Amino acid sequence: MRRLVVVSNRVALPDEGAARAGGLAVALQEALQQNGGLWFGWSGRITPQSSDSPHIRQFGQVTFATLDLSRKDHAEYYNGYANRSLWPVFHYRIDLADFTRENYQGYLRVNTLFAEKLRPLLRDEDEIWVHDYHLIPLGEELRRLGIRQRLGFFLHTPFPAMEVLVVLPSASRIVRSLAAYDVVGFQTAADLRAFHDHVTLESAGEVLSNGLVRGFGRTLKADVFPIGIDVGPMVAAAESAHRLASTRRLRRNFSECKLMIGVDRLDYSKGLPERFKSFERFLEKYPAWRGKVSLMQIAPSSRADVPEYMQIRRQLEAEAGHINGRFAEFDWTPLHYLNSSYQRQTLAGFYRFSQIGVVSPLRDGMNLVAKEYVAAQNGEDPGVLVLSRFAGAARELTSALQINPYDLEGVADALARALDMPIEERRDRWQDLMSAVRTGSLDHWRDSFLKALTEAPYTVET
Ligand code: F6P
């Protein structure tokens, strides 16, 4: 019977607390439990030397195998190439990208290390599912070590247009590495199109009529698998959230005032400075709302050792101070900016209580906060989702109020429109959104990807 092997940079160990484990971890655990499984990745620890052999732990049917990384490996692979080269380029921020040969070599070295340490743990009947931009070359490394098992890769971030990707000095190698997999999954049709462009225009490959891709001497399936959320638990958490002390305190504090909420990792791709500026423009242009609505922005800090992240953190602190200094009253704070993270249960209550969900990334692979906000609403009196057209989620959530986050005036107008939206329109939009969230659930994403992987290898009919 086939066994699933999941490989990702971060590994969610069950004893690290169910509340902290995201929906992705839950969905993958379910698939791993079915026929027994292995989850392999970084331990989250930085040690004097990278591990010689993985730390193995067993939870029920699932084996967790994790590697520690040395300071140099972590700096070059994770902070360096993954988060200062690939991440900005994949999010269209070539102005923030930094390319050094050291970081690139470190990225390849850690991918080789992962492949070498994973290989002895693999069995013939395994299906291997690799996740995200940290591990693109892993498949190629495994093939080099003689692995013939089915290999799938899912990219959680956007895949950029060819003109942007080619800025990356190693772009061709990155695309070639993807061809080592049997199935490559993207979040949206635009990402897939960009991959096709690169394969056909830059790499002399072919997109075949049945959607298969031929290139670099291999045939693979490249397709769209939009990731979703685990809908049931989010609905249940939101419905019972009124019992939580945090929800009660929030309601008490905002009893006289409407609430807009944003929840994002503190990342420049999330468009937070633009969101703050749009909110400022909204307060300028619609003074009747002053004192009657606040924006609560939750932004837990992320990748804090990377200079661009230190910079955005400073910028947001200054912007938030500026807006509150300009508009606050002794009994009203326009912008609540929180650098903390909250448990899902708490967030479910915050989403449900907020009249507006603001999700305005400049670029995002999917954005699950948008889907969580929808799932947490009360269908009788739902809030309004204001959603960037540059989030992958915008392709499915077409009944959200879609905005261009660069158009500060347009966003300010959308916030005002959302606050004034009649109940019938809110209900109609929410019903459409909720049906899209249910259709594209996390289970559906996982099952459709694994079905495509099980159908591999793909051969070209002649
Ligand atoms: O969006 C890509 C992604 O890998 C997500 O899957 C994940 O939530 C996020 O980035 C986490 O980033 P990090 O592991 O750097 O904290």
Side-chain angles (χ1 to χ4, degrees):
M1 212 178 337
R2 76 184 171 88
R3 180 180 79 150
L4 178 63
V5 176
V6 170
V7 192
S8 58
N9 175 57
R10 287 192 192 267
V11 176
L13 284 162
D15 64 352
E16 281 178 349
R20 276 189 50 207
L24 175 66
V26 174
L28 293 178
Q29 300 263 17
E30 215 175 285
L32 287 161
Q33 287 287 357
Q34 265 163 22
N35 302 319
L38 169 67
W39 194 337
F40 186 93
W42 176 42
S43 65
R45 281 189 295 272
I46 300 171
T47 49
Q49 302 290 326
S50 292
S51 300
D52 265 340
S53 53
H55 307 285
I56 306 280
R57 296 186 63 189
Q58 191 70 32
F59 289 89
Q61 293 256 75
V62 187
T63 307
F64 291 81
T66 56
L67 296 175
D68 302 336
L69 289 180
S70 70
R71 190 159 297 286
K72 179 174 162 67
D73 280 349
H74 180 260
E76 293 177 358
Y77 146 80
Y78 175 79
N79 281 341
Y81 193 74
N83 286 322
R84 295 195 76 194
S85 301
L86 291 179
W87 181 270
V89 171
F90 281 17
H91 290 83
Y92 291 76
R93 290 303 302 270
I94 51 183
D95 57 317
L96 297 181
D98 179 76
F99 308 112
T100 69
R101 291 289 187 273
E102 289 76 20
N103 286 343
Y104 181 51
Q105 292 310 325
Y107 177 75
L108 295 179
R109 188 173 64 246
V110 170
N111 272 271
T112 307
L113 176 80
F114 270 42
E116 283 168 354
K117 302 302 172 191
L118 174 60
R119 186 187 169 199
L121 306 178
L122 293 176
R123 301 179 191 155
D124 288 349
E125 76 284 5
D126 284 345
E127 286 179 4
I128 304 158
W129 188 4
V130 179
H131 289 262
D132 232 350
Y133 60 102
H134 315 87
L135 297 173
I136 293 172
L138 184 70
E140 205 177 12
E141 291 302 318
L142 286 169
R143 295 272 183 239
R144 215 191 302 283
L145 296 174
I147 291 303
R148 300 175 61 85
Q149 287 86 330
R150 294 187 185 99
L151 274 176
F153 177 84
F154 184 76
L155 184 67
H156 291 253
T157 68
F159 191 79
M162 192 189 81
E163 292 77 1
V164 173
L165 184 66
V166 291
V167 169
L168 191 71
S170 44
S172 297
R173 168 73 199 274
I174 291 292
V175 176
R176 189 188 81 197
S177 299
L178 285 171
Y181 294 94
D182 297 299
V183 179
V184 174
F186 297 99
Q187 299 275 25
T188 68
D191 302 315
L192 176 63
R193 213 163 38 238
F195 177 67
H196 284 167
D197 281 352
H198 209 288
V199 168
T200 51
L201 303 173
E202 280 279 318
S203 311
E206 267 183 285
V207 177
L208 307 170
S209 53
N210 49 6
L212 298 181
V213 167
R214 187 156 51 182
F216 308 97
R218 297 196 79 253
T219 301
L220 62 141
K221 183 178 182 101
D223 212 341
V224 178
F225 303 90
I227 195 167
I229 61 162
D230 204 4
V231 184
M234 180 44 78
V235 170
E239 281 175 356
S240 60
H242 58 276
R243 298 197 203 108
L244 295 177
S246 53
T247 314
R248 286 207 296 271
R249 280 172 57 199
L250 188 79
R251 290 173 90 148
R252 216 172 28 245
N253 287 338
F254 291 94
S255 59
E256 310 267 304
C257 183
K258 295 201 177 203
L259 190 59
M260 303 180 183
I261 189 167
V263 179
D264 307 80
R265 268 184 321 100
L266 209 172
D267 193 300
Y268 48 78
S269 63
K270 304 293 182 183
L272 298 176
E274 291 77 5
R275 190 178 305 172
F276 285 7
K277 288 196 183 97
S278 300
F279 182 60
E280 182 177 11
R281 182 72 195 114
F282 159 81
L283 293 174
E284 274 169 4
K285 193 168 171 183
Y286 300 95
W289 279 110
R290 291 185 201 165
K292 299 198 182 107
V293 64
S294 292
L295 169 63
M296 180 165 81
Q297 178 61 54
I298 297 176
S301 100
S302 171
R303 306 171 191 171
D305 304 332
V306 176
E308 292 73 23
Y309 289 75
M310 296 174 187
Q311 158 67 21
I312 181 109
R313 186 172 178 152
R314 281 194 297 271
Q315 185 184 354
L316 288 172
E317 281 162 3
E319 286 286 344
H322 163 75
I323 292 173
N324 284 335
R326 182 169 171 203
F327 291 103
E329 298 285 348
F330 69 94
D331 57 352
W332 172 64
T333 307
L335 178 58
H336 296 252
Y337 172 51
L338 316 173
N339 275 148
S340 345
S341 59
Y342 291 88
Q343 295 198 340
R344 306 187 88 65
Q345 185 80 20
T346 310
L347 285 178
F350 290 179
Y351 291 141
R352 191 166 180 100
F353 182 69
S354 304
Q355 284 76 21
I356 316 281
V358 192
V359 178
S360 57
L362 303 180
R363 205 52 77 163
D364 215 333
M366 176 53 63
N367 199 297
L368 295 180
V369 168
K371 296 186 174 183
E372 287 177 349
Y373 178 77
V374 170
Q377 296 310 299
N378 169 4
E380 290 304 307
D381 184 18
V384 179
L385 176 65
V386 174
L387 177 63
S388 165
R389 54 173 300 191
F390 304 124
R395 304 279 69 79
E396 294 155 273
L397 304 183
T398 48
S399 291
L401 268 191
Q402 294 208 358
I403 45 119
N404 169 357
Y406 295 93
D407 173 14
L408 307 186
E409 185 93 15
V411 178
D413 292 343
L415 295 176
R417 183 172 166 208
L419 285 164
D420 283 329
M421 191 177 282
I423 180 78
E424 296 74 27
E425 184 178 350
R426 281 195 276 131
R427 283 192 192 133
D428 288 351
R429 284 179 182 267
W430 178 79
Q431 264 157 16
D432 289 352
L433 293 172
M434 193 59 186
S435 128
V437 168
R438 283 193 195 282
T439 309
S441 70
L442 188 58
D443 287 356
H444 175 75
W445 166 77
R446 179 197 63 210
D447 294 346
S448 47
F449 188 94
L450 289 177
K451 181 170 180 291
L453 188 56
T454 301
E455 284 164 5
Y458 292 91
T459 46
V460 184
E461 286 158 31
T462 46

